[in-house]
Structures are given as C-alpha cells and as structure tokens.
C-alpha cells in the first residue's frame, strides 16, 4: 500500500526557520528604507534647530557637513545603516550620547514593563476566556463579557491614574511615579513598574479574553473534542490539552502584536507614571527635533514588531504540526 | 433468553431549537446482546446518532436534553450515573468511533499519544507502557510501519488510515461494546470494505458487541445479525437481518430496500421513497411515515401505531399488523 509522502520532522522545521528568517531580513531592510526615506523627506533642518534662527549660513553649512546632511540620500542611508550594523550609531543631538546607548537604557524600563504587562494579560485572559467559553450564555460568561466590554472601553491612562490614586496615594503601597534604576534599587524598580504594567495588562487582557473565549467556543464544538470525551478523558485534559492547544493559535497572533506594540513603548502610561522609557524618549525627541533619536527609535519599534512576529511564527509551528509543513 | 449487555428503554432526547422543541429521539427502546452485531439503520436525522451519543452521555446540553427513559448497562441506569462514573465507562467498557476520521482526531497531538491516552487514563499505565501497547494496537489494525507512525500527526495519514487509528484508539481498553457511528461513510468504497472487515474480525477476536450505525444497507448485510430501523426519532422495525432483507414488514423498511442498488438487477431508475422526513419540531397526530406511505389508510393519519410484535424477536410500528388486508399488492 502506498504511504502518503511524509517529510521528516526536523528538516521540515529547519526549512520553515530558514524561510521565515529570509522573510524577516527582507522585511527589516524594507522597514529601514521606509523609515529613512520618510524622515529624509520631512521638512525641517536639524542644523537650523540646533543652532537656532540667528545662525549664519556659514555655521549652518559647517554643521550640516559635520552631521553629514549635505550628502546624497543613498550616501546618508548607507552611512546610517552601515553604522548601525557595525555598532556605531549616530549621536543624539540633545543627549550627547550614542542613540544606541540611549535606547538600551530606556529599554531597561520599557522591556520589563512590556513583559510584565503581557504576563498580567495572559494570566488574566486565558482562565477567564476558557471559563466564559465553558459557560457560554450563562451568568458567569455574561459577567466576564461585561467586564471585558468595560476593559475595552477604558482608556489605559485613566486606569493608570485610578490605580495610582488607589495604591500609591490612598494606600501608599507603591510610589506614585518615577523610576529609581535597576542597579540602585531593584525591588523599588520592580514595584515602580508593577502598577503601569498592570494597567497595560488589564486593558490588553480584555481583548485577549474575548478572543480566547470565541476561539475556545469554536474548538469545543470540534469532532476531536467529542472524541476526547468519548475516550473517557478527564474534563480538564479535554479542555486544557485537547481543546486549548488548538484554540491558542489565533490568541497567539494578537498576543504577539500586543507585545510588539508594548516594546515600542507606551507613551501615555510612561508619561502618567513618569517613567524614563522608550515612549517618553521618542515623545521628547520629536518635540526637540532630535532626528537621529527619532529615526533609530522608529526603526527599533518597527523591528520589535517584526521580530516578535517572527518568534510568534515559531510558537505556531510548535503548537500546530500542520503549520510546519505548509 | 440471554441477558442484555445494554438496554435502552423508552429513551426520548429533545433539542431546544429556535423553531421550538425538536424531538430527535422519541420513545426508543431496544437492546444489545453480549457479542452480537446490531445495526441501527435510518436516514440522516432519524435520531440514530443522537441515540448512540446518549449512551455515553455525549449529548451537548444545552441545547439537548434527555427527556425521559433509561439506559441500563451492568444493572445501572447510565442516565442517572454521576459524570465521573460515566467517564470511567467511556473508552473503557463502551467505546465509540465516529463518522469523520478527518476531523475526529486531534490535529495537534501525535497519533501515538492519542491511541495511548485511554490506557493511561483507564488502566493507569505509564506513558512508555501505554505507547508500547498503542503500538501493538496500531499493528493490529494493520497500519503499515506502525512504529514509525507513532510520532505522526493525523494530517500525515490518509482517511482510511485515520479510521484505523480511530478503531485502535477505541479498542485499546478492550471494551465490551463498540458503537460505530457511520464508520465507513466518509471513506472510499474500496477502503470501506477493508475497514469493515477489520472491525468485524477484531470484534470476533475480542468477543465484544458491535452497535453499527449506518444508512448503508449493504454494510448491514455484510456484518449485522440484528437490525433496528429508525424513522423520525422512533423505532419502526426490529428484526433479524435475514428477515429485514427477505421479508421486511414496515413499508419504510421496504422502501429503504427498494432504494438500494443491487448488482444484476438493473431495471431502470432506482425506486425512491416519495416525500420528505417530517419536521421534528411539529407534533404529528398519526403515524409519522403515513404521509409518505403507499399503504396508508384513515387510521394511520389519526392514531400513531404502537410497536406490534410480529413474531419472536420481530417488532414493527405499523397498523398493517392489525389490518393485513390493507396492504396493497403492487406498490
């Protein structure tokens, strides 16, 4: 009897990896050109901004040459991208330090906050979504859906302010903003990120809960879930092993997008809590026309989204063997 | 008389649907003897699948609900058993195979694991022991190169192979009853015969009873010993397989037989039963088959017939038992 063709498991996964990695590199290249071109085309002369309106044409020309602004588009682009690839990033106009170091120091705030927010979001949304799906249209489900609706309608800065009023001002359990720095005060730094991460996480949990619920509802109606029950498996094995793994794929997509966005910085919440994160950095850099900072951060944000999606693609493949083969 | 393995008494399963209450199963009674092959026959929507799913408590509720009746297994009414006790019976003493091998296996778990699962949960075997046992069952259902297939996923197998995996999965705990719901309907004709033969020989080997749910009378003729015919949620005829084919009593059974293609009897168009099955949400005064029946007379439309005893082990839900002269000679 002829067997259906069957690619061995490991090469399939390697092929999948190589294909995805090539796509990733092409995407990053296109993103870098777009970012550079958009900022290149924008009106506004950084040299003029640095020197003020009273600068003489000679000093302006000198500074332009110093900043490399007098070179052609391609020369400027390759100078920039070449610098990034060799670890020499441009200098910030306002901070007088390499943009790369600036981003790293801010990422030390934004990165942990984004991850904590996603942990909150997952820990809240998965159990609630599964619970709601299993009691579809009953009181528990309706209650959960009511609160997700509330979560979707709540602006995160407002929730941030409420949490701050409650936990920092009223109960004095947390500081009301600011960030002491990881090396200076680790626990204090962790606590400083807890409230904003919770605010970000709760808002994101609202959409994830609804998604988990609808995805679980679809999967719980599948024939293989009936098979799992007919085999006499325990209900928790049926739900958490047989159903959940299948239901996670769409949830993971949104989870990845949310993490990518959070890594790019949460401008509003960082301002509410006065955190020195990426969001605030880019916000200030735009105000100060600090072009090198804006350019590198925008590239970093785009890259964060692209890279997180790359990781999510692998999580898909790990969850669902059918994706590896496609 | 032999003690029944499973006895279904006056089972009614209703579904709450937007149009009202659908009486999917309405007062069904029959029994399954140890080691026998019983065929449950009828068109789509006649309630045969719902009946079989009720046995294992797999009716989704809501919208479904068991309105009344008893399902007696080992002296106990399964409909009143606690979920935990029912769970221990499922896949262990009573197993089930479903129609769609394409969608009935979990796409994200390896087939080795899926076949091993019942052994781990019912026999308490470790994963290694269960997998070894699963492998021997995959060989028993004649999966070629079974050892290499343990790590495979369902999408890597053909439909016939998947149904063999389903069979292995249902039989690993050596149940006393296997319920097979249209096990060959979704398969190619050539594969159908293989799977059916396999199921039949394993049934003989294990000495288990087989409840075969099908609309295919050809399948019935091959393996069944007794036949229960259902129509619109009710049993309309029950008889040994030879009587069903040689001497069917109920006009519906006769119609089913006439609509079956036979080799060497190519006489133009196949006969069909005129009309359509009644809508289950509507209450019907008389016999449910009367609107489509060629022999129907006034009483059929007024009063629903009871299940008459035709002969020993034969029953039919038809007024023709009491009014035999009403049967038309040439229909």
């Amino acid at each position: 009897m002829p067997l259906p063709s069957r690619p061995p498991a490991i090469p399939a996964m390697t092929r999948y990896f190589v294909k995805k990695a090539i796509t990733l590199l092409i995407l990053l290249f296109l993103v870098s050109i777009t970012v550079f071109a958009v900022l290149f085309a924008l009106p506004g002369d950084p040299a003029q901004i640095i020197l003020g309106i009273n600068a003489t044409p000679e000093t302006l020309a000198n500074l332009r040459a110093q900043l490399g602004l007098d070179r052609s588009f391609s020369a400027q682009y390759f100078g920039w991208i070449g610098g990034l690839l060799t670890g020499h990033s441009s200098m910030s106009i306002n901070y007088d330090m390499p943009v790369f170091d600036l981003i790293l120091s801010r990422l030390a705030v934004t990165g942990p906050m984004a991850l904590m927010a996603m942990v909150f979001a997952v820990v809240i949304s998965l159990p609630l979504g599964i619970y709601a799906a299993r009691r579809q249209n009953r009181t528990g489900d309706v209650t959960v859906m009511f609160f997700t609706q509330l979560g979707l309608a709540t602006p995160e800065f407002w929730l941030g302010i409420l949490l701050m009023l409650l936990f920092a001002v009223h109960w004095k359990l947390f500081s009301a903003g600011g960030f002491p720095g990881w090396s200076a005060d680790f626990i204090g730094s962790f606590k400083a990120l807890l409230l904003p991460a919770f605010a970000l996480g709760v808002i994101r949990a609202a959409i994830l809960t609804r998604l988990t619920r609808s995805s679980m509802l679809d999967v719980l109606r599948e024939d293989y879930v009936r098979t799992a029950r007919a085999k006499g498996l325990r209900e928790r094995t049926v739900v958490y092993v047989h159903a959940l793994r299948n239901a996670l794929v769409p949830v993971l997509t949104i989870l990845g997008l949310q993490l990518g966005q959070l890594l790019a910085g949460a401008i509003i919440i960082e301002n509410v809590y006065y955190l020195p994160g990426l969001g605030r950095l880019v916000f200030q850099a735009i105000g100060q026309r600090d072009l090198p900072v804006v350019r590198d951060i925008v590239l970093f944000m785009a890259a964060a989204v692209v890279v997180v999606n790359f990781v999510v693609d692998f999580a898909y493949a790990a969850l669902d063997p059918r994706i590896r083969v496609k | 008389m032999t003690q029944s393995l499973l006895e279904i008494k006056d089972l009614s399963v209703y579904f709450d649907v937007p149009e009202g209450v659908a009486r999917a199963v309405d007062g069904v009674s029959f029994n399954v003897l140890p080691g026998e092959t019983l065929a449950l026959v009828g068109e789509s929507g006649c309630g045969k699948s719902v009946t079989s799913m009720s046995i294992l408590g797999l009716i989704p509720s809501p919208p479904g609900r068991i309105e009344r009746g008893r399902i007696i297994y080992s002296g106990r009414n399964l409909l009143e058993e606690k979920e935990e006790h029912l769970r221990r019976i499922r896949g262990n003493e009573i197993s089930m195979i479903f129609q769609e091998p394409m969608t009935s296996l979990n796409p994200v778990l390896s087939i080795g694991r899926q076949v091993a699962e019942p052994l781990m949960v019912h026999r308490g075997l470790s994963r290694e022991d269960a997998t070894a046992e699963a492998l021997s069952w995959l060989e028993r259902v004649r999966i070629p190169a079974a050892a290499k297939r343990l790590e495979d996923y369902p999408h890597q197998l053909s439909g016939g192979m998947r149904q063999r995996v389903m069979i292995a999965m249902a039989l690993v705990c050596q149940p006393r009853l296997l319920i097979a719901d249209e096990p060959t309907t979704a398969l190619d004709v050539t594969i159908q015969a293989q799977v059916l033969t396999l199921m039949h020989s394993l049934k003989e080997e294990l000495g288990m009873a087989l409840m075969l749910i099908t609309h295919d009378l050809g399948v019935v003729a091959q393996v069944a010993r007794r036949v229960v015919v259902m129509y619109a949620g009710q049993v309309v005829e029950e008889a040994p397989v030879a009587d069903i084919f040689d001497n069917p009593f109920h006009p519906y059974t006769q119609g089913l037989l006439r609509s079956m293609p036979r080799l060497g009897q190519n006489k133009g168009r196949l006969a069909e039963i005129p009309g359509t099955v009644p809508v289950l949400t509507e209450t019907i005064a008389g016999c449910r088959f009367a609107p489509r029946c060629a022999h129907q007379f006034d009483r059929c439309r007024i009063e629903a017939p009871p299940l008459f005893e035709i002969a020993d082990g034969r029953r039919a839900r038809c007024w023709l038992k009491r009014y035999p002269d009403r049967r038309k000679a040439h229909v």
Side-chain angles (χ1 to χ4, degrees):
Chain A
M1 179 175 296
L3 297 174
S5 71
R6 174 177 173 260
I10 297 164
M13 199 68 177
T14 317
R15 256 208 322 270
Y16 182 76
F17 177 84
V18 171
K19 233 167 74 183
K20 289 285 168 188
I22 292 171
T23 319
L24 174 81
L25 289 177
I26 294 173
L27 253 176
L28 284 178
F29 173 67
L30 292 177
V31 162
S32 73
I33 287 197
T34 313
V35 167
F36 191 84
V38 167
L39 291 177
F40 187 85
L42 275 185
D45 181 354
Q48 184 90 64
I49 291 157
I50 295 169
L51 296 172
I53 46 167
N54 297 323
T56 63
E58 291 79 43
T59 44
L60 270 177
N62 280 338
L63 187 62
R64 281 211 192 93
Q66 195 192 323
L67 294 174
L69 295 173
D70 54 347
R71 292 187 292 159
S72 70
F73 174 84
S74 58
Q76 286 192 45
Y77 171 77
F78 285 110
W80 171 62
I81 209 79
L84 285 183
L85 290 176
T86 51
H88 305 290
S89 74
S90 21
M91 295 292 284
S92 156
I93 295 171
N94 285 296
Y95 294 90
D96 198 30
M97 62 192 285
V99 179
F100 186 73
D101 298 349
L102 202 57
I103 290 180
L104 268 191
S105 71
R106 297 308 181 93
L107 199 57
V109 177
T110 297
M113 184 171 73
L115 289 177
M116 280 160 71
M118 288 325 290
V119 169
F120 278 126
V122 169
V123 167
I124 295 169
S125 64
L126 284 191
L128 277 185
I130 294 167
Y131 171 83
R134 292 176 67 186
R135 338 200 121 240
Q136 190 192 6
N137 298 336
R138 285 183 264 174
T139 325
D141 177 31
V142 175
T143 314
V144 169
M145 285 301 99
F146 171 77
F147 280 106
T148 60
Q149 197 69 58
L150 211 62
L152 285 175
T154 308
E156 62 193 18
F157 76 88
W158 187 73
L159 181 64
I161 292 171
L162 275 192
L163 290 172
M164 191 191 278
L165 282 176
L166 195 65
F167 288 97
V169 179
H170 187 71
W171 284 331
K172 305 203 187 318
L173 292 171
F174 293 91
S175 61
F179 187 76
W182 291 108
S183 46
D185 179 3
F186 186 83
I187 306 235
S189 301
F190 182 77
K191 279 178 71 176
L193 295 184
L194 217 49
L195 284 188
F198 187 70
L200 293 171
V202 166
I203 301 298
R204 273 146 193 85
I207 186 106
L208 281 181
T209 304
R210 294 182 84 93
L211 203 68
T212 308
R213 173 184 178 269
S214 70
S215 184
M216 273 305 268
L217 278 178
D218 286 344
V219 170
L220 285 174
R221 289 193 195 98
E222 292 283 350
D223 289 348
Y224 53 78
V225 170
R226 184 183 59 188
T227 307
R229 291 218 169 89
K231 277 155 86 172
L233 300 185
R234 288 181 186 87
E235 188 62 18
R236 53 163 203 278
T237 317
V238 174
V239 172
Y240 288 94
V241 179
H242 282 253
L244 185 60
R245 256 186 89 163
N246 284 283
L248 274 184
V249 169
V251 177
L252 214 61
T253 310
I254 301 301
L255 200 85
L257 287 176
Q258 290 183 338
L259 179 62
Q261 284 168 356
L262 282 179
L263 278 178
I267 296 180
I268 295 174
I269 213 85
E270 284 174 7
N271 273 306
V272 169
Y273 281 88
Y274 211 73
L275 295 171
L278 271 181
R280 255 165 65 89
L281 178 64
V282 74
F283 184 67
Q284 288 163 346
I286 291 169
Q288 295 155 346
R289 304 290 189 280
D290 195 339
L291 189 70
V293 173
V294 175
R295 195 165 55 200
D296 288 7
I297 291 190
V298 172
L299 179 67
F300 170 80
M301 289 175 169
V305 174
V306 175
V307 171
V308 168
N309 277 332
F310 178 69
V311 175
V312 165
D313 279 339
F314 278 93
Y316 285 159
L319 275 179
D320 190 338
R322 286 169 297 182
I323 292 173
R324 283 170 227 163
V325 191
K326 266 178 206 160
Chain B
M1 200 186 150
T2 341
Q3 180 80 39
S4 293
L5 176 64
L6 184 83
E7 223 176 322
I8 297 177
K9 288 183 175 170
D10 194 26
L11 179 71
S12 290
V13 186
Y14 293 177
F15 285 82
D16 295 308
V17 293
E19 295 80 33
V21 178
R23 297 176 179 80
V25 173
D26 206 0
V28 163
S29 302
F30 63 89
N31 62 344
V32 184
L33 302 175
E36 79 165 338
T37 299
L38 174 81
L40 196 55
V41 181
E43 290 166 277
S44 326
C46 71
K48 51 196 199 299
S49 289
V50 172
T51 304
S52 64
M53 297 221 287
S54 319
I55 298 171
L56 288 180
L58 293 175
I59 298 291
S61 166
R65 58 190 151 93
I66 308 275
E67 188 62 18
R68 61 172 191 276
R70 282 179 295 163
I71 296 175
I72 312 288
Y73 172 78
S74 291
R76 297 210 268 186
N77 182 2
L78 293 184
L79 296 179
E80 285 170 357
E81 284 299 326
K82 290 215 166 61
E83 171 63 24
E84 179 61 17
H85 179 240
L86 213 54
R87 186 184 70 69
R88 285 171 203 273
I89 292 177
R90 288 185 200 134
N92 187 18
E93 294 176 43
I94 303 178
S95 281
M96 201 159 171
I97 300 174
F98 301 98
Q99 178 171 354
E100 284 292 335
M102 295 299 173
T103 54
S104 293
L105 287 168
N106 196 319
V108 305
L109 300 175
S110 70
I111 61 167
R113 172 177 178 157
Q114 293 191 59
V115 176
E117 261 177 340
L119 290 163
M120 300 196 303
V121 67
H122 294 303
R123 297 270 186 271
L125 294 190
S126 68
R127 181 161 294 215
E128 294 74 46
D129 294 349
T131 308
E133 180 87 12
L135 173 60
S136 79
W137 274 96
L138 289 177
E139 282 162 354
R140 259 180 115 161
V141 297
R142 300 187 203 118
I143 302 262
K148 288 189 190 152
R149 301 237 150 210
L150 282 175
E151 294 300 314
D152 274 6
Y153 292 92
H155 71 271
Q156 292 164 295
L157 303 181
S158 65
M161 286 297 146
R162 290 187 213 192
Q163 200 59 299
R164 284 165 196 267
V165 171
M166 283 295 291
I167 294 172
M169 202 165 78
L171 297 186
V172 277
C173 290
Q174 311 200 7
R176 294 163 70 190
L177 172 63
L178 174 66
I179 302 169
D181 188 352
E182 305 263 9
T184 57
T185 307
L187 304 177
D188 289 346
V189 180
T190 46
I191 310 289
Q192 282 185 4
Q194 288 177 12
V195 167
L196 208 62
T197 314
L198 173 72
M199 252 173 38
H200 191 66
S201 67
L202 284 169
K203 172 210 160 297
E204 296 290 314
E205 245 176 83
L206 298 173
M208 66 179 179
L210 175 63
M211 185 172 147
L212 188 68
I213 296 154
T214 182
H215 64 269
D216 185 345
L217 288 168
V219 169
V220 173
Q222 275 185 63
V223 293
R225 198 180 71 92
R226 265 189 330 128
V227 182
V228 172
V229 183
M230 281 183 74
Y231 182 79
Q234 292 181 323
V235 172
V236 293
E237 181 156 9
E238 179 187 332
V241 69
D243 291 331
I244 285 283
F245 283 96
D246 299 342
N247 184 22
F249 189 91
H250 200 284
Y252 176 65
T253 316
Q254 294 172 341
L256 271 185
L257 282 166
R258 271 200 303 275
S259 62
M260 186 175 93
R262 282 184 207 211
L263 279 178
Q265 284 191 5
N266 194 2
K267 303 270 161 37
R269 280 181 58 135
L270 277 174
E272 57 176 316
I273 306 173
T276 51
V277 271
V279 179
L280 293 170
T281 45
E282 281 164 13
T283 13
I284 301 146
C287 171
R288 291 182 185 196
F289 187 62
R292 302 173 73 184
C293 184
H295 307 278
Q296 52 105 359
F297 49 96
D298 44 6
R299 188 159 190 183
C300 301
R301 291 184 300 267
I302 300 162
E303 195 183 338
L307 255 185
F308 290 107
E309 187 92 21
I310 305 293
D312 190 30
R314 280 201 73 172
R315 297 182 298 163
R317 192 182 292 280
C318 185
W319 285 121
L320 290 175
K321 164 70 181 165
R322 191 164 296 170
Y323 309 95
D325 49 328
R326 293 280 192 161
R327 197 185 281 274
K328 293 174 181 136
H330 301 287
V331 182

